[in-house]
């Protein structure tokens, strides 16, 4: 039974090819940013409210004039298809059904049109890394034509980081 993040990590380590596991789980260079991010997330605490009427709970929020069923969305993650064939399409369809927004990564291994078609009524954004202007222009035009509602310009990776290798995942 998978009960927590560590359970999922162990299962992933056991079934994924090493290079796929390392891509998902490992950090770049010395892991400083990953440790800081983990620390920041650990510092967030949810405060429970007790003795309240919970017969009608509404977790929705309005973002840019659109109602989201939950106060979060699915951030862009590259190469989801390495973990699960057609991973982006499956994610977009599932969260679209749940009323949760999905942001497609520039590094998706699926066509943006196919992912959009998986959840035509869902909120979908397109992430954009500008590697070459002509390629970026084509992505923007295609995303706009297919009904992506927003563009998430990503500028944090001017060069690729040196990915750290792990030893836990099974060999290729």
């Amino acid at each position: 039974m998978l009960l927590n993040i560590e359970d999922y990590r162990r299962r992933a380590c056991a079934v994924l090819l090493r290079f796929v596991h390392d891509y998902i789980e490992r950090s770049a260079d010395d892991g400083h940013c990953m440790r800081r991010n983990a620390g920041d997330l650990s510092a967030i605490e949810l405060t429970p409210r007790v003795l309240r009427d919970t017969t009608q709970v509404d977790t929705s929020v309005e973002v840019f004039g659109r109602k989201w069923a939950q106060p979060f969305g699915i951030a862009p993650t590259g190469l989801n298809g390495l973990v699960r064939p057609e991973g982006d399409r499956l994610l977009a369809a599932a969260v679209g059904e749940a009323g949760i927004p999905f942001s497609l990564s520039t590094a998706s291994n699926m066509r943006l049109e196919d992912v959009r078609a998986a959840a035509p009524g869902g909120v979908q954004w397109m992430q954009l890394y500008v590697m070459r202007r002509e390629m970026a222009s084509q992505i923007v035009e295609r995303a706009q034509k297919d009904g992506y509602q927003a563009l998430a310009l990503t500028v944090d990776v001017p060069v690729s980081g040196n990915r750290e290798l792990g030893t836990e995942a099974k060999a290729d």
Side-chain angles (χ1 to χ4, degrees):
M1 181 182 290
L2 304 173
L3 298 175
N4 57 50
I5 295 295
E6 287 306 314
D7 291 345
Y8 280 94
R9 281 189 168 130
R10 280 192 291 277
R11 175 68 59 84
C13 186
V15 300
L16 293 174
L17 294 173
R18 180 179 173 162
F19 83 95
V20 176
H21 176 271
D22 287 351
Y23 175 78
I24 295 167
E25 185 65 21
R26 300 292 172 215
S27 61
D29 296 313
D30 66 359
H32 178 73
C33 184
M34 183 174 78
R35 285 191 303 277
R36 276 188 36 208
N37 289 344
D40 289 347
L41 287 171
S42 293
I44 296 171
E45 293 185 22
L46 300 177
T47 305
R49 294 183 174 184
V50 297
L51 301 176
R52 296 184 182 255
D53 180 10
T54 59
T55 55
Q56 292 185 8
V57 175
D58 182 9
T59 58
S60 67
V61 294
E62 188 174 307
V63 179
F64 302 131
R66 298 275 316 247
K67 187 174 181 177
W68 296 4
Q70 302 293 328
F72 59 85
I74 303 302
T77 51
L79 305 175
N80 286 324
L82 289 177
V83 176
R84 175 78 185 240
E86 298 192 14
D88 285 315
R89 184 186 64 74
L90 295 169
L91 277 168
V95 300
E97 237 177 73
I100 299 169
F102 175 78
S103 188
L104 181 64
S105 172
T106 301
S108 173
N109 45 8
M110 289 195 70
R111 296 182 72 243
L112 65 92
E113 293 85 358
D114 296 338
V115 175
R116 182 71 187 129
V123 175
Q124 289 189 27
W125 293 7
M126 182 70 215
Q127 177 202 40
L128 181 66
Y129 276 111
V130 179
M131 293 160 266
R132 290 190 337 255
R133 284 185 184 255
E134 62 218 28
M135 186 171 127
S137 293
Q138 290 173 4
I139 291 171
V140 170
E141 288 172 17
R142 289 170 54 207
Q144 185 176 24
K145 179 182 173 210
D146 253 50
Y148 283 81
Q149 290 92 0
L151 189 66
L153 181 62
T154 305
V155 296
D156 66 337
V157 185
V159 296
S160 294
N162 298 310
R163 302 294 291 202
E164 302 291 330
L165 298 178
T167 57
E168 299 85 16
K170 73 178 189 175
D172 301 340

